[in-house]
Amino acid sequence: MITIPDTTTPKTAVEDALGLVLTGGGARGAYQVGVLNWMARNYPDIHPPILTGVSAGAVNIAKLAAAPGTFQQAVGELDHLWRSLTVEQVFRSDAPSLVRTALGWGLRLISGGSKSGPRVRGFLDTAPLRELLYEALAAVDDEITGIDYNLARGKLKAVAIIATSYTTGQTVVFLKGDRGIEPWKRPQRRTDMGPITIDVIMASAALPIFFPAVQIGAEWYGDGGIRLAAPLSPALHLGANRILAISTRYERTRAESDVAVVPGYPPPAQVLGILLNAVFLDLVEQDAMRLEKMNDLIEQLPREERGGLRPIRFLNIRPSQDLGRLAAKFEPQLPRTFRFMTRGLGTQEQRSPDVLSMLMFQPDYLGTLIDLGEHDAEMQAEAMEAFFENRPE
């Protein structure tokens, strides 16, 4: 159920708690920064007390949660980080590294499961990303201590980073909050009240197949969107009465959806793109539809008959352009060896290479996404104004 009883709301919840939900999508996370830029410019005093993030959204949420200054300052630092980001700062793209990994996978496939076969943990080596996050998030012994600092001074109420345990198959919410926050457990979902570390962020952002899993304790974790059927749920559990979600999925029109995106037999990149979209990018819209239906039902009931259920104000901002098509325009600027390998997957055969849009950590592409996010937020200025001022549209 998307709308939850007031009895599960933490004691410290305020009447109008704002939750910010940032979804995944790899390099598409730059789009979220553009929307945040617009928010910070038009509402400089805003401080969302409830922050939840998945995958690339986890990186952005961690930065917002750990920054010592204002929301506007934190967003400014995020903008600088994403605009200056390069492929080499996220994963090793040099020829020796990529060829070594490709050979390792090939030998693994023909080893027949032999114990002497090579150990492979992902197509790409994300060691550079770990180094970048360690510095950008000012980690101390792997822990992002700025989050505890902001919780202690009351700037934050709760921060949730979602990852998937490959060991148990469960969705795990790594949670830090004030004293009123209590963990919850549902079928195939659980919370972990331990510290939020660089490992947690790396795990949440570990795109399956491409990025290696991350070990935390005795378990191995990957991208948090894999089994997260209700991405709005953590914010609701934490007491949010209003939720702003920033998605990275372009919603195709009926006419666009009926057009083939690749002629003939689908190459691996097409299949992977559909799988990743279904896993990481489609669920916010589905969750929002359930939330809207629940709100309609609740609002038809007298307050005394609602059984503790509460309507939730919700706004979702999503791209107005197809980010896959946009990525294709910047593909020639990718590092040569990495470009060669992605073309081998069939990215050039597609009109909208969605896989490429998630892996293209190119400054020109990322800057374009940021600008698009600002544009889309401006186009929804009226809805944003009504949402932030908590008044009817």
Side-chain angles (χ1 to χ4, degrees):
M1 183 179 292
I2 299 304
T3 308
I4 60 176
D6 284 335
T7 53
T8 65
T9 302
K11 296 179 181 179
T12 56
V14 296
E15 182 65 25
D16 186 34
L18 171 61
L20 178 63
V21 176
L22 301 186
T23 64
R28 295 184 181 194
Y31 174 83
Q32 297 171 344
V33 179
V35 178
L36 294 172
N37 275 340
W38 187 94
M39 290 169 51
R41 184 170 60 252
N42 289 274
Y43 298 90
D45 297 327
I46 193 173
H47 284 284
I50 298 171
L51 304 174
T52 75
V54 182
S55 193
V59 175
N60 292 335
I61 285 295
K63 182 62 178 176
L64 295 177
T70 65
F71 179 79
Q72 193 172 31
Q73 290 170 332
V75 172
E77 292 175 9
L78 260 180
D79 181 88
H80 175 73
L81 175 67
W82 279 92
R83 286 187 187 275
S84 60
L85 199 59
T86 64
V87 170
E88 292 81 4
Q89 289 177 296
V90 179
F91 52 82
R92 301 193 190 283
S93 59
D94 59 284
S97 295
L98 293 175
V99 171
R100 184 166 54 248
T101 301
L103 289 174
W105 275 97
L107 291 173
R108 176 71 178 178
L109 288 172
I110 64 174
S111 68
S114 171
K115 293 182 179 180
S116 61
R119 296 290 177 181
V120 288
R121 295 185 174 180
F123 280 116
L124 301 170
D125 182 354
T126 55
L129 178 60
R130 176 181 293 277
E131 296 178 10
L132 177 71
L133 293 179
Y134 206 96
E135 180 179 354
L137 300 177
V140 178
D141 295 329
D142 199 50
E143 185 173 352
I144 307 171
T145 57
I147 294 177
D148 288 327
Y149 173 73
N150 286 327
L151 284 168
R153 66 188 184 122
K155 180 181 175 181
L156 290 175
K157 177 184 172 185
V159 180
I161 302 298
I162 298 93
T164 302
S165 172
Y166 289 155
T167 304
T168 66
Q170 294 175 307
T171 292
V172 181
V173 179
F174 290 90
L175 177 64
K176 292 289 289 187
D178 61 26
R179 293 182 179 180
I181 299 297
E182 296 182 0
W184 64 89
K185 188 172 184 177
R186 298 289 185 271
Q188 292 300 314
R189 289 183 287 165
R190 74 173 196 265
T191 52
D192 187 320
M193 299 292 286
I196 294 181
T197 63
I198 297 298
D199 276 342
V200 169
I201 307 302
M202 289 289 294
S204 182
L207 287 169
I209 300 177
F210 292 102
F211 291 1
V214 178
Q215 186 174 16
I216 302 175
E219 298 182 46
W220 289 90
Y221 292 86
D223 197 295
I226 295 175
R227 297 201 65 164
L228 187 61
L232 305 181
S233 178
L236 292 169
H237 277 290
L238 296 172
N241 287 338
R242 289 184 298 155
I243 296 177
L244 172 65
I246 307 177
S247 175
T248 60
R249 175 182 178 269
Y250 168 71
E251 187 173 29
R252 290 188 173 99
T253 64
R254 175 66 63 86
E256 289 174 322
S257 298
D258 290 340
V259 176
V261 295
V262 60
Y265 191 85
Q270 173 67 7
V271 177
L272 285 171
I274 292 175
L275 287 173
L276 292 177
N277 273 335
V279 171
F280 305 126
L281 304 178
D282 291 344
L283 297 178
V284 169
E285 285 75 12
Q286 296 174 15
D287 211 7
M289 289 177 63
R290 291 193 292 266
L291 178 60
E292 183 178 356
K293 290 179 180 178
M294 288 299 301
N295 281 342
D296 289 342
L297 290 173
I298 292 169
E299 290 171 352
Q300 292 176 23
L301 295 173
R303 186 175 296 274
E304 63 273 12
E305 297 180 12
R306 292 179 179 178
L309 297 176
R310 66 186 193 274
I312 305 297
R313 190 81 177 270
F314 177 73
L315 178 63
N316 185 25
I317 305 295
R318 63 167 67 92
S320 60
Q321 295 184 36
D322 187 331
L323 302 190
R325 286 180 179 268
L326 198 58
K329 299 178 182 179
F330 296 90
E331 189 263 359
Q333 281 73 53
L334 282 171
R336 183 176 181 180
T337 305
F338 180 64
R339 183 176 71 243
F340 179 82
M341 297 187 76
T342 57
R343 288 180 178 180
L345 291 173
T347 55
Q348 274 203 316
E349 300 173 41
Q350 301 173 266
R351 295 187 179 92
S352 178
D354 286 331
V355 167
L356 200 61
S357 73
M358 299 181 191
L359 296 173
M360 184 168 285
F361 295 93
Q362 284 286 109
D364 46 6
Y365 173 67
L366 300 176
T368 299
L369 294 192
I370 293 173
D371 295 341
L372 179 62
E374 292 194 46
H375 170 270
D376 290 349
E378 179 63 32
M379 290 299 98
Q380 296 200 47
E382 187 174 343
M384 296 276 270
E385 181 180 356
F387 179 83
F388 285 119
E389 295 182 5
N390 201 22
R391 58 176 173 78
E393 295 183 39

